[in-house]
Amino acid sequence: MRATLIYGRGDVRVEEVPDPVLAAPTDAIVRVTRACVCGSDLHRYRGMEPVAEGLRIGHEFMGVVEDTGADVRSVKRGDVVLVPFLWTDNSCDFCRDGLHGSCRNGGRWAMNGLDGGQGEAARVPQADGTLIKLPVGADDPVIPSVMALSDVLPTGHHAAVTAAVGKGSTVAVIGDGAVGLSAVLSAARLGAERIVLLGRHRARTDLGRRFGATDVVPERGEEAVAAVRALTGGDGTPHVLECVGNTAAFETALGVVRDGGTISRVGVPQYAEARLDFDVFMRNITITGGVAPARRYIPELLAEVLDGTIAPGEMFDLSVGLDDVPAGFRAMNDREALKVLVRP
Amino acid sequence: MRATLIYGRGDVRVEEVPDPVLAAPTDAIVRVTRACVCGSDLHRYRGMEPVAEGLRIGHEFMGVVEDTGADVRSVKRGDVVLVPFLWTDNSCDFCRDGLHGSCRNGGRWAMNGLDGGQGEAARVPQADGTLIKLPVGADDPVIPSVMALSDVLPTGHHAAVTAAVGKGSTVAVIGDGAVGLSAVLSAARLGAERIVLLGRHRARTDLGRRFGATDVVPERGEEAVAAVRALTGGDGTPHVLECVGNTAAFETALGVVRDGGTISRVGVPQYAEARLDFDVFMRNITITGGVAPARRYIPELLAEVLDGTIAPGEMFDLSVGLDDVPAGFRAMNDREALKVLVRP
């Protein structure tokens, strides 16, 4: 089959790779009908040292079940399934605690010999715990919104949940990428009254307003902090959803958070250390968040996608075939596209 | 009057300073009957560059009201009062939220011309919001336990509260100083079932056991992490109370915390940055805590001190007069004393 490989900074190729085969009785083989390019894929696209053998890539996908191992009970050949960005048994103590990122029998796509999502097919370990059977066809018009449930919407939702956003909350969302916009949508869905979106790309912040942002702050750095504080009586917001993952975004988060408030980080950190100094201590700032347990949130969010309450699929503004995945990376990297849908 | 000044590393002196006088109608003058040396005083004792004019020091004290400004309503001359380690109006929106460290009209002792606690008397701003009138005499046998309420017990309690310790919790407490032992006592009081105390000073960890520690881990660094994990089925503890404030303690906290768990920092951080990397992100670790709102917790804790439910005063193992405060610093710095009570 054909699949996407990354060879280094700016070097993504679609090449022939071995077809997936069942390796354990809990596996399923899924023919991929849609995949996405994720903002976190761009971290490697921007910074990875060259490698001689390309690495598989992609962790957001859906498809049709082609085969199942002997122990798989919840899906069968022909089922249309959504695949979360982590595979999990959905039954260990960590999963039962809603912490699927720490699943005792789970892991990440495109690692340790596993397929990535940006290819024609994938072997799915722990199929019963991982796959969500969809009640719609693989080409249903709602599919782009369903695809947002593989990663970005649950990730934005995780930011809002872990930052304890609720009815009447005042929230700052840092970043107008797909995760930031998902965080806006999630905060609005949870009842936030005021949602300040920090972003400077007009098309994105306009979509952010449609998703529920009440204010947009296009400034950066200290000017952004001053603007958010000006909007909030000088004190900042009790809830900050940090959806970028670099040091500048973390500093902005510390600048806009109200004393006693919470910063939830859902942008994969591109730093090893961050400021947790006397000032952060005296202000009683809480840092929370982390990798989202998408599998836990999908049933609840899927119901609202299917009944039309939310339409996160509006984020996809470019659709490419498998051979054009490299062009999709380029478009996202150059900020010409917000979120790329792949149709293998 | 006489008061304690610090001139640099290892250089604490008791000298003549101006008598305090009422400066605002909300002030009170308190004659100090007891003070303490705090572990955080030792940070300067260990690292402060020499200064030509000594700096006032001390933030844990109690005493007898000598005079009050025209607007003071809650205390009067002759009242025996406990003084929290921050002064606050106890009425602004931050204080009403229980975040006294961010009081809009509060601050720290021994700063900006204010007296420190280690002296014969002090001017107390915002007397109505700061002082707690005590129903016992200044020399009552319960006074050492009352003095623990000025800072260390509320600080340990803040660690337990912000880390969401409750009935049946499994908790690790890092540090066997007065704050660490206070955190043990607080966790036990809140219903923790298992309390692992990380400390290597036998007299202190023995007191920790009396305060409720179920296990003591004397190892340090990676060995301590391995020991705590061995005690907890390999996974670590969901609640970690970091009561030291240096990078090694923070790293130990990251090592012993269970995935999805919370580290509450109440040791004043002696670092500017700390590890918040991909590993911390993937494990969904929450970092919380900060300076404790002692004024908020004191009424609840004082009631239990007065009825004998808790006896945090057991931590005081050295008592000195004002002239011997320098010897008290030395004893605490050399770990000969756990906690020093000063009787001016």
Side-chain angles (χ1 to χ4, degrees):
Chain A
M1 69 165 185
R2 291 172 68 75
T4 308
L5 297 108
I6 185 162
Y7 281 82
R9 195 175 299 129
D11 187 359
V12 169
R13 309 176 201 172
V14 178
E15 295 180 343
E16 203 63 29
V17 300
D19 286 334
V21 291
L22 294 174
T26 47
D27 284 354
I29 303 299
V30 169
R31 180 170 51 81
V32 178
T33 58
R34 295 287 186 282
C36 312
V37 181
C38 179
S40 67
D41 294 333
L42 295 180
H43 296 151
R44 279 194 282 171
Y45 188 78
R46 288 170 181 158
M48 191 177 115
E49 292 302 313
V51 290
E53 288 196 30
L55 306 176
R56 300 287 289 277
I57 192 163
H59 54 262
E60 306 178 7
F61 61 110
M62 63 169 288
V64 177
V65 176
E66 283 203 330
D67 201 0
T68 55
D71 293 349
V72 175
R73 294 284 170 271
S74 63
V75 295
K76 61 180 192 307
R77 185 182 170 86
D79 283 348
V80 179
V81 290
L82 175 65
V83 188
F85 75 96
L86 298 171
W87 51 276
T88 58
D89 67 13
N90 199 34
S91 60
C92 72
D93 53 346
F94 280 122
C95 286
R96 288 195 309 271
D97 285 353
L99 202 73
H100 291 69
S102 299
C103 174
R104 295 194 190 273
N105 299 295
R108 295 156 63 198
W109 299 109
M111 310 267 291
N112 307 317
L114 274 185
D115 298 300
Q118 297 163 8
E120 289 181 306
R123 178 172 73 87
V124 174
Q126 300 291 342
D128 279 336
T130 302
L131 298 173
I132 292 110
K133 187 176 167 178
L134 294 173
V136 294
D139 291 307
D140 192 282
V142 81
I143 286 299
S145 283
V146 170
M147 277 306 298
L149 300 179
S150 173
D151 181 345
V152 290
L153 187 60
T155 294
H157 182 66
H158 190 53
V161 167
T162 53
V165 171
K167 212 167 173 58
S169 293
T170 296
V171 184
V173 175
I174 299 179
D176 59 8
V179 171
L181 298 183
S182 294
V184 167
L185 180 61
S186 300
R189 191 180 158 276
L190 291 169
E193 192 173 286
R194 188 149 194 199
I195 302 172
V196 183
L197 172 60
L198 285 79
R200 52 168 48 199
H201 299 84
R202 184 61 189 268
R204 300 179 181 194
T205 57
D206 283 351
L207 182 53
R209 285 188 191 273
R210 293 205 295 283
F211 280 173
T214 54
D215 303 86
V216 169
V217 168
E219 289 87 352
R220 286 189 174 184
E222 286 179 24
E223 288 177 10
V225 171
V228 174
R229 290 193 167 257
L231 287 170
T232 52
D235 290 335
T237 67
H239 315 271
V240 178
L241 316 185
E242 199 285 86
C243 302
V244 178
N246 60 27
T247 297
F250 190 78
E251 267 302 319
T252 300
L254 287 175
V256 302
V257 69
R258 188 177 193 265
D259 286 13
T262 300
I263 297 168
S264 180
R265 303 187 301 161
V266 294
V268 180
Q270 300 307 297
Y271 48 81
E273 298 203 324
R275 183 158 72 85
L276 281 179
D277 61 356
F278 185 72
D279 169 70
V280 175
F281 180 85
M282 291 302 288
R283 295 174 60 212
N284 270 272
I285 306 304
T286 295
I287 315 294
T288 189
V291 69
R295 184 64 184 80
R296 160 184 161 199
Y297 298 134
I298 287 172
E300 172 188 356
L301 298 170
L302 178 61
E304 295 195 8
V305 161
L306 293 175
D307 73 13
T309 305
I310 56 176
E314 289 185 52
M315 287 186 288
F316 291 99
D317 55 356
L318 179 63
S319 177
V320 298
L322 186 58
D323 286 340
D324 286 329
V325 167
F329 270 80
R330 264 196 307 279
M332 268 181 71
N333 187 53
D334 296 346
R335 297 186 180 275
E336 287 162 15
L338 165 57
K339 184 79 181 164
V340 174
L341 194 64
V342 180
R343 300 164 176 260
Chain B
M1 68 165 185
R2 291 172 67 74
T4 308
L5 297 109
I6 184 161
Y7 281 82
R9 195 176 298 128
D11 187 0
V12 170
R13 310 177 200 171
V14 178
E15 295 181 343
E16 202 64 30
V17 300
D19 287 335
V21 290
L22 295 173
T26 47
D27 284 353
I29 304 299
V30 169
R31 180 169 52 80
V32 178
T33 58
R34 294 287 186 282
C36 312
V37 181
C38 180
S40 67
D41 294 334
L42 295 181
H43 296 151
R44 280 195 281 172
Y45 188 78
R46 288 169 183 159
M48 191 176 113
E49 292 301 314
V51 290
E53 288 194 32
L55 305 176
R56 299 286 289 278
I57 193 163
H59 53 261
E60 306 178 8
F61 61 110
M62 62 168 289
V64 177
V65 176
E66 282 203 332
D67 201 359
T68 56
D71 293 349
V72 176
R73 295 283 169 272
S74 62
V75 294
K76 61 179 194 304
R77 186 182 170 87
D79 283 347
V80 180
V81 290
L82 175 64
V83 189
F85 75 96
L86 298 170
W87 51 275
T88 59
D89 66 15
N90 199 32
S91 60
C92 73
D93 52 346
F94 280 121
C95 286
R96 288 195 308 271
D97 286 352
L99 202 72
H100 291 69
S102 299
C103 174
R104 295 195 189 273
N105 299 294
R108 295 156 63 197
W109 298 110
M111 309 267 292
N112 306 317
L114 275 184
D115 298 299
Q118 296 163 8
E120 288 181 309
R123 177 173 74 87
V124 174
Q126 300 291 342
D128 279 336
T130 302
L131 298 173
I132 291 109
K133 187 175 165 179
L134 295 173
V136 293
D139 290 308
D140 191 282
V142 80
I143 286 300
S145 283
V146 170
M147 277 307 296
L149 300 178
S150 174
D151 182 344
V152 291
L153 187 60
T155 294
H157 182 67
H158 189 54
V161 167
T162 53
V165 171
K167 211 166 173 58
S169 294
T170 296
V171 184
V173 175
I174 299 179
D176 60 8
V179 171
L181 298 184
S182 294
V184 168
L185 179 61
S186 300
R189 188 179 160 276
L190 291 169
E193 191 174 287
R194 188 151 195 198
I195 302 172
V196 182
L197 172 60
L198 285 79
R200 51 168 50 199
H201 299 85
R202 184 60 189 266
R204 300 180 182 194
T205 57
D206 282 351
L207 182 54
R209 286 187 190 273
R210 293 207 294 283
F211 280 172
T214 54
D215 304 86
V216 169
V217 168
E219 289 87 353
R220 287 189 173 183
E222 286 179 24
E223 287 178 8
V225 170
V228 174
R229 290 192 167 257
L231 288 170
T232 52
D235 290 335
T237 67
H239 315 270
V240 179
L241 316 185
E242 199 286 87
C243 303
V244 177
N246 60 28
T247 297
F250 189 78
E251 268 302 321
T252 300
L254 288 175
V256 302
V257 69
R258 188 176 192 267
D259 285 12
T262 300
I263 297 168
S264 181
R265 303 187 300 161
V266 295
V268 180
Q270 301 305 296
Y271 49 81
E273 298 203 324
R275 182 158 72 85
L276 281 180
D277 61 358
F278 185 72
D279 170 69
V280 175
F281 179 85
M282 291 302 288
R283 295 174 60 212
N284 270 272
I285 307 304
T286 295
I287 315 294
T288 189
V291 69
R295 183 65 182 79
R296 161 183 161 197
Y297 299 133
I298 287 172
E300 173 188 354
L301 298 170
L302 178 61
E304 295 195 9
V305 161
L306 293 175
D307 73 12
T309 306
I310 56 176
E314 288 186 52
M315 287 185 288
F316 291 100
D317 55 356
L318 179 63
S319 178
V320 298
L322 186 57
D323 287 341
D324 286 328
V325 167
F329 270 80
R330 262 196 308 280
M332 268 182 71
N333 187 53
D334 296 345
R335 296 188 179 272
E336 287 163 15
L338 165 57
K339 184 80 181 164
V340 174
L341 194 65
V342 180
R343 301 164 176 260

